[in-house]
Amino acid sequence: MEKKTFYITTPIYYPSDKLHIGHTYCTVATDAIARYKRLCGYDVMFLTGTDEHGQKIEEKAKAAGVSPQEFVDKIVTGENGILDLWKLMNISNDRFIRTTDDYHVEAVQRIFKKMYDKGDIYKGAYKGKYCTPCESFWTESQLKDGKCPDCGREVHDAEEEAYFFKLSKYAKPVQELLETGTFLEPASRVNEMINNFIKPGLEDLCVSRTSFSWGIPVDFDPGHVVYVWVDALFNYCTALGLLNDRYDDFDKYWPADVHIVGKEIVRFHSIIWPAMLMSMELPLPKKVYASGWTPCASSCCAPSPSAPTATSPMSC
């Protein structure tokens, strides 16, 4: 009898510096779930990795006097780097993806072009406030005390030609998805996403940049690089072989059973991510669990003393 599959992921971590205990905690918690499901007899795919592009890394590499690739290589594969850390922690991940991997780069270019050909990505210009650490654009009304609402740091004026994803087109189906009560947990995060982001009105999303070069090139428009949303979020699919020849088990493991994420990236995974999957006409993940720094505090991550629910990834 063929085993049931179970696909679980951590976020892919940003190697602008060495990881800290928060990254380790999230990864260990995800590892515990993966190990438990294996004990239950599941065919488990456990993915983790690194999100290696962006302006912040380009600037850090310049300050260090090395290329961006050399900078991230040292943090990821160098002595006492991320791979050594996960080995030390005995993490049982089945795959490790780097967004600088050739197969991922090629797949993201194909994904970007498919959404462009569909009309869900279009060319325009952006003018607004930009937070470099968060790699996020904000309108004046979204700022909190004049600073980035996510991290509280200073923002600066930015204006550049860019491609945009029609996020506004998917506002209604994303809201309906969140309102099911099963896609995103805990419930407090659902209320936060709907009240703080969807009800005020989703704006189309900047998905390319021209002010820096450390990113995946938009192959049909030189000078633009694919921005973090398309690049990083699709790692969960490209790591299974979507639009690339490295792997061939996308149909076997997708959709993911659960994405474990930190509370600071809930918006990206519960609004932007499903909208882009809808654009690509791909099945949606079964669950996104937002940790709030405690990934195992919910029924999503721990077996109930009574009968387990069908949506719990810990259920056998």
Side-chain angles (χ1 to χ4, degrees), residues 42 150 201 230 256 261:
Y42 283 78
D150 275 355
V230 181
V261 303

Side-chain angles (χ1 to χ4, degrees), residues 272-316:
I272 297 170
W273 179 219
M276 288 185 171
L277 288 171
M278 291 174 188
S279 175
M280 289 290 291
E281 299 179 13
L282 293 171
L284 302 180
K286 298 173 186 176
K287 188 177 297 295
V288 172
Y289 183 78
S291 70
W293 317 134
T294 52
C296 283
S298 157
S299 63
C300 171
C301 300
S304 168
S306 58
T309 64
T311 59
S312 170
M314 293 295 282
S315 306
C316 285

Side-chain angles (χ1 to χ4, degrees), residues 112-133:
F112 193 95
K113 185 63 161 55
K114 283 176 74 75
M115 291 196 289
Y116 175 77
D117 289 342
K118 185 177 180 177
D120 279 353
I121 287 179
Y122 63 92
K123 197 172 188 177
Y126 190 89
K127 184 177 181 181
K129 303 293 184 179
Y130 182 67
C131 174
T132 299

Side-chain angles (χ1 to χ4, degrees), residues 237-249:
C237 295
T238 63
L240 298 178
L242 178 68
L243 295 178
N244 69 79
D245 298 325
R246 175 70 65 88
Y247 300 108
D248 62 357
D249 45 16

Side-chain angles (χ1 to χ4, degrees), residues 251-270:
D251 291 337
K252 179 180 181 181
Y253 290 109
W254 192 260
D257 290 273
V258 60
H259 296 300
I260 304 293
V261 303
K263 66 179 183 179
E264 76 282 3
I265 54 174
V266 177
R267 176 171 65 98
F268 313 133
H269 285 79
S270 66

Side-chain angles (χ1 to χ4, degrees), residues 36-307:
Y36 179 81
K37 297 301 284 191
R38 292 189 192 107
L39 289 172
C40 289
Y42 283 78
D43 176 355
V44 172
M45 174 61 69
F46 169 20
L47 175 72
T48 189
T50 45
D51 170 15
E52 301 186 8
H53 293 119
Q55 186 175 10
K56 186 176 180 180
I57 284 177
E58 186 175 81
E59 291 176 353
K60 285 232 174 184
K62 184 177 180 181
V66 297
S67 72
Q69 189 66 61
E70 289 172 322
F71 183 85
V72 294
D73 283 348
K74 182 178 180 180
I75 291 178
V76 177
T77 64
E79 186 177 359
N80 297 321
I82 293 172
L83 292 182
D84 281 352
L85 174 62
W86 295 157
K87 188 181 295 184
L88 174 68
M89 299 304 297
N90 198 25
I91 302 300
S92 66
N93 58 292
D94 299 285
R95 284 184 193 159
F96 187 98
I97 186 170
R98 301 178 62 183
T99 56
T100 52
D101 289 337
D102 289 346
Y103 76 91
H104 175 78
V105 170
E106 294 168 4
V108 166
Q109 288 177 325
R110 292 169 182 153
I111 290 164
F112 193 95
K113 185 63 161 55
K114 283 176 74 75
M115 291 196 289
Y116 175 77
D117 289 342
K118 185 177 180 177
D120 279 353
I121 287 179
Y122 63 92
K123 197 172 188 177
Y126 190 89
K127 184 177 181 181
K129 303 293 184 179
Y130 182 67
C131 174
T132 299
C134 292
E135 299 196 53
S136 294
F137 283 106
W138 303 100
T139 62
E140 197 76 52
S141 62
Q142 290 174 318
L143 300 179
K144 187 174 181 180
D145 299 324
K147 297 181 179 180
C148 174
D150 275 355
C151 72
R153 294 183 176 93
E154 298 290 338
V155 295
H156 63 269
D157 291 324
E159 181 175 4
E160 63 184 88
E161 181 182 84
Y163 284 91
F164 291 82
F165 171 67
K166 289 184 179 178
L167 186 60
S168 57
K169 172 181 174 181
Y170 295 96
K172 184 176 180 181
V174 169
Q175 181 171 347
E176 291 172 348
L177 174 68
L178 291 171
E179 288 174 342
T180 63
T182 59
F183 174 72
L184 175 63
E185 286 190 1
S188 60
R189 299 298 174 201
V190 176
N191 297 334
E192 177 187 344
M193 292 303 106
I194 293 174
N195 294 330
N196 293 358
F197 296 104
I198 293 181
K199 285 187 176 179
L202 286 181
E203 296 184 355
D204 290 349
L205 188 72
C206 176
V207 290
S208 81
R209 300 295 305 279
T210 58
S211 58
F212 62 88
S213 60
W214 181 236
I216 296 175
V218 176
D219 54 359
F220 60 87
D221 195 346
H224 285 261
V225 295
V226 178
Y227 198 25
V228 60
W229 318 123
V230 181
D231 180 4
L233 288 170
F234 273 100
N235 90 88
Y236 307 119
C237 295
T238 63
L240 298 178
L242 178 68
L243 295 178
N244 69 79
D245 298 325
R246 175 70 65 88
Y247 300 108
D248 62 357
D249 45 16
F250 179 78
D251 291 337
K252 179 180 181 181
Y253 290 109
W254 192 260
D257 290 273
V258 60
H259 296 300
I260 304 293
V261 303
K263 66 179 183 179
E264 76 282 3
I265 54 174
V266 177
R267 176 171 65 98
F268 313 133
H269 285 79
S270 66
I271 295 177
I272 297 170
W273 179 219
M276 288 185 171
L277 288 171
M278 291 174 188
S279 175
M280 289 290 291
E281 299 179 13
L282 293 171
L284 302 180
K286 298 173 186 176
K287 188 177 297 295
V288 172
Y289 183 78
S291 70
W293 317 134
T294 52
C296 283
S298 157
S299 63
C300 171
C301 300
S304 168
S306 58

